[in-house]
Amino acid sequence: MSSNDIALRVSGLGKSYTIRHQDDKHITLAEQALSRLRHPLRRSPSETFWALRNVDLEVKRGEVLGIIGGNGAGKSTLLKILSRITAPTEGRIELYGRIGSLLEVGTGFHPELTGRENIYLNGTILGMKKVEINRRFDEIVQFAGVEKFLDTPVKRYSSGMYVRLAFAVAAHLETEIVLLDEVLAVADVAFQERSLGKMRDVAASGRTVLLVSHQFAIIQALASKVLVLDQGSVLGLTEPDEAIAAYSASRTSRAKVGVTTEGKRWDPTLSRLIEVVGVQAQQEQTTFGSEDAIQFLVALKFHEPLSSFRMSLTVAAMSGSPIGSGFAHAQRTPDTEAGTETEEYLVAVHAHRLAPGHYTLNMAVGLGDNESGMEEFDIIVEAFAFEVSPIETSDGLIASWSQAWGSV
């Protein structure tokens, strides 16, 4: 493939950060200053965290590349490196053309300036000349739908207006490469549909688009190839349907019977009244039929002799979007000694309320009122991953989504 066909090439790309840890978990600012005076040469323990490692990527001109992965997979880090917001720790990047990026709502906008002024400011930041911005100005304004508020400071814009104008600027200005990071999540449905059409036009004109999104429908509608990232590494680069299936399978494969909570606790540094020790499916499986009742055993450890507590369970799609939640109050024997052993509680999810697909379970336990100084809630993100398989009818056909959903 000749270099004229390439929009960007990445070789051995890596980005690392140094994470420092505090020896004393509950230290005030004054105590920290005193400790620094007493021990000026003492260094806090630290570790190296690789947000990206050994990433190789080649994107053609006119290609729309979708990028998916779980939280912390390195998606946004990759776009920030490509847009020169942060420098890589290792590796090589080759860019063939100017880059226009929209990595979060209003990137490059000044809140005190008007919409009109920010179009010119953002265009200039992206390397456009004034004559180029003038040529596209009316298209940008019309597409964003902010004509009435064009001379209003953008700090008074709603988040939807903000993202519409920011997206319009990034999509219409004449950069060869466009980077988008989950920017359409706050836009309304009508604007999302217009944006999908615009991105198709952008790709058809020979420009290159890199799109990060947790909304798989957008990825499937736009992307010609999809890059799957997992914990900073490339899991695969393939067709959209195949990539999404591989991503979902990788998440489900991590679910183990008796899964521990290591690495999934919301904040592991805090002391808690109640601690989730583990979550497992009572059926000792991770794939369930659409008519099953999925029962989970939640192992809890109590650090105080509590008589009651609250439990919350949230089911989320593999994209991370919550599907639904359930809450319950549980009673304990008041004189049960705290901290000596774990107790198991049974919770259930009815699969007939879920469409066929891959899901994760988030778990939270805690109290209503807390005066002990300990953290009230223990929250475990992605405590368990499972799959709901489609219903198969008597004639061998797979039932429709509405049949699988059932009554709520």
Side-chain angles (χ1 to χ4, degrees):
M1 186 183 299
S2 68
S3 60
N4 292 333
D5 298 326
I6 300 299
L8 65 91
R9 183 184 288 122
V10 171
S11 305
L13 188 66
K15 177 65 178 180
S16 67
Y17 295 92
T18 300
I19 303 176
R20 301 197 180 278
H21 302 284
Q22 182 65 48
D23 288 328
D24 299 316
K25 295 181 180 179
H26 306 287
I27 188 171
T28 65
L29 183 61
E31 291 170 336
Q32 187 174 359
L34 183 60
S35 176
R36 182 62 60 89
L37 290 173
R38 288 176 175 173
H39 309 284
L41 300 180
R42 177 187 293 176
R43 290 181 173 271
S44 300
S46 62
E47 62 177 295
T48 299
F49 170 74
W50 285 91
L52 285 175
R53 196 77 188 268
N54 299 325
V55 176
D56 297 313
L57 178 64
E58 195 171 81
V59 184
K60 301 177 184 178
R61 294 187 185 276
E63 190 171 54
V64 179
L65 178 70
I67 304 174
I68 63 175
N71 293 330
K75 307 182 297 298
S76 297
T77 301
L78 175 59
L79 294 196
K80 288 178 180 177
I81 292 174
L82 294 178
S83 59
R84 299 189 180 95
I85 292 176
T86 186
T89 304
E90 61 183 19
R92 176 181 175 85
I93 302 172
E94 299 173 42
L95 298 173
Y96 300 94
R98 293 176 295 185
I99 284 187
S101 61
L102 183 52
L103 304 188
E104 58 184 60
V105 176
T107 299
F109 277 20
H110 193 295
E112 299 293 338
L113 299 181
T114 66
R116 183 189 305 274
E117 292 166 333
N118 270 296
I119 291 175
Y120 283 95
L121 172 65
N122 202 236
T124 303
I125 291 174
L126 295 177
M128 300 292 104
K129 297 179 180 179
K130 186 175 181 180
V131 64
E132 294 176 298
I133 302 173
N134 287 338
R135 186 165 58 244
R136 292 298 188 96
F137 186 88
D138 291 339
E139 292 180 53
I140 293 170
V141 174
Q142 184 178 6
F143 187 88
V146 295
E147 295 92 336
K148 291 174 59 177
F149 310 99
L150 194 58
D151 295 307
T152 300
V154 297
K155 67 180 181 181
R156 298 194 175 96
Y157 284 16
S158 67
S159 59
M161 293 167 61
Y162 222 118
V163 75
R164 292 203 306 269
L165 184 59
F167 177 87
V169 172
H172 284 80
L173 294 180
E174 298 170 357
T175 54
E176 287 76 26
I177 304 171
V178 180
L179 309 180
L180 302 174
D181 186 1
E182 200 64 75
V183 296
L184 298 181
V186 299
D188 56 53
V189 175
F191 185 75
Q192 286 189 21
E193 291 176 352
R194 293 211 313 274
S195 300
L196 290 175
K198 181 60 183 177
M199 286 297 97
R200 291 190 184 96
D201 294 341
V202 167
S205 68
R207 297 163 68 192
T208 304
V209 180
L210 272 67
L211 171 66
V212 167
S213 181
H214 286 292
Q215 301 181 59
F216 291 160
I218 292 179
I219 293 291
Q220 289 173 312
L222 281 178
S224 51
K225 289 287 182 66
V226 175
L227 175 72
V228 185
L229 291 177
D230 182 47
Q231 298 180 354
S233 300
V234 175
L235 189 63
L237 175 61
T238 183
E239 303 297 322
D241 291 342
E242 187 177 342
I244 291 170
Y247 168 62
S248 299
S250 72
R251 297 285 295 275
T252 302
S253 67
R254 293 178 185 172
K256 302 176 182 177
V257 174
V259 65
T260 65
T261 58
E262 183 178 359
K264 299 180 180 181
R265 180 162 276 111
W266 187 257
D267 187 345
T269 65
L270 299 175
S271 300
R272 288 168 169 80
L273 294 170
I274 311 172
E275 183 179 350
V276 179
V277 179
V279 180
Q280 69 177 28
Q282 191 180 37
Q283 296 94 326
E284 298 189 356
Q285 64 192 73
T286 59
T287 301
F288 303 91
S290 297
E291 297 179 338
D292 292 341
I294 310 171
Q295 295 182 322
F296 296 95
L297 287 173
V298 182
L300 304 178
K301 188 170 185 177
F302 295 83
H303 297 287
E304 285 194 4
L306 306 171
S307 60
S308 65
F309 64 96
R310 290 189 297 172
M311 183 180 295
S312 167
L313 176 151
T314 300
V315 176
M318 276 297 178
S319 64
S321 303
I323 302 298
S325 299
F327 303 86
H329 289 272
Q331 301 294 323
R332 297 180 67 240
T333 303
D335 58 354
T336 300
E337 186 176 353
T340 56
E341 58 182 298
T342 60
E343 301 176 14
E344 289 188 340
Y345 292 82
L346 185 66
V347 296
V349 174
H350 296 284
H352 72 273
R353 297 176 182 268
L354 298 172
H358 296 79
Y359 300 91
T360 58
L361 186 77
N362 301 331
M363 197 75 215
V365 293
L367 303 177
D369 299 318
N370 177 25
E371 297 179 356
S372 69
M374 300 179 76
E375 185 67 11
E376 179 181 353
F377 281 95
D378 190 18
I379 302 175
I380 308 298
V381 179
E382 298 180 2
F384 197 87
F386 63 96
E387 179 183 2
V388 176
S389 59
I391 297 173
E392 188 168 340
T393 61
S394 57
D395 59 0
L397 299 176
I398 301 300
S400 67
W401 184 88
S402 58
Q403 288 174 306
W405 180 265
S407 60
V408 177

